[in-house]
Amino acid sequence: QVQLVESGGGLVQAGGSLRLSCAASGRTFSRYAMGWYRQAPGKEREFVAAISGSRGFTYYADSVKGRFTISRDYAQSTLYLQMNSLNSEDTAVYYCAADPSPDASRWYQPRYGIDYWGKGTLVTVSS
């Protein structure tokens, strides 16, 4: 049974940093694409960042490019999202996602089909 468990969310002041983690279990995830989405109150879920399986190509939403960094520990099947220079617009529930296809280049597409999701972790940025 695939499980994705996020951690690291919380309350942070604007301009601060947080690092989210996602522990994956139930499969060998080294070839899976993995990534992060977020959903702010009253808004649709949106793509944040993704990293391809095996080769580790990274992709970012324009809104986080230069501030967020996605990475993964293949040996530990753990995904990370380092978030710097946070602002109030980053307030959202952040979801970890994984898909057996190693290609993450289309994850930015709205309603792109992804097989596995975590339950989310809340990030609140106070101004």
Side-chain angles (χ1 to χ4, degrees), residues 106-126:
R106 292 180 292 168
W107 277 41
Y108 69 92
Q109 294 178 350
R111 293 179 289 281
Y112 182 77
I114 294 171
D115 280 5
Y116 303 109
W117 294 88
K119 294 184 178 180
T121 185
L122 177 62
V123 172
T124 304
V125 183
S126 64

Side-chain angles (χ1 to χ4, degrees), residues 24-53:
S25 62
R27 291 283 191 279
T28 300
F29 286 91
S30 59
R31 292 184 59 83
Y32 279 46
M34 298 186 73
W36 296 92
Y37 284 71
R38 68 186 181 186
Q39 187 167 18
K43 295 187 177 180
E44 290 191 354
R45 187 178 296 184
E46 65 174 1
F47 169 73
V48 175
I51 185 166
S52 66

Side-chain angles (χ1 to χ4, degrees), residues 5-125:
V5 180
E6 303 95 338
S7 60
L11 176 64
V12 62
Q13 287 189 332
S17 299
L18 278 177
R19 188 170 89 150
L20 304 183
S21 300
C22 172
S25 62
R27 291 283 191 279
T28 300
F29 286 91
S30 59
R31 292 184 59 83
Y32 279 46
M34 298 186 73
W36 296 92
Y37 284 71
R38 68 186 181 186
Q39 187 167 18
K43 295 187 177 180
E44 290 191 354
R45 187 178 296 184
E46 65 174 1
F47 169 73
V48 175
I51 185 166
S52 66
S54 300
R55 302 185 74 178
F57 296 133
T58 58
Y59 306 88
Y60 295 94
D62 288 342
S63 59
V64 307
K65 205 172 290 183
R67 301 188 298 123
F68 291 11
T69 302
I70 189 171
S71 61
R72 64 192 294 175
D73 182 329
Y74 287 92
Q76 300 296 324
S77 293
T78 303
L79 181 71
Y80 301 99
L81 185 68
Q82 177 66 44
M83 305 186 295
N84 299 327
S85 302
L86 287 160
N87 59 60
S88 58
E89 293 185 351
D90 297 315
T91 294
V93 177
Y94 284 71
Y95 296 91
C96 175
D99 194 85
S101 170
D103 181 10
S105 64
R106 292 180 292 168
W107 277 41
Y108 69 92
Q109 294 178 350
R111 293 179 289 281
Y112 182 77
I114 294 171
D115 280 5
Y116 303 109
W117 294 88
K119 294 184 178 180
T121 185
L122 177 62
V123 172
T124 304
V125 183

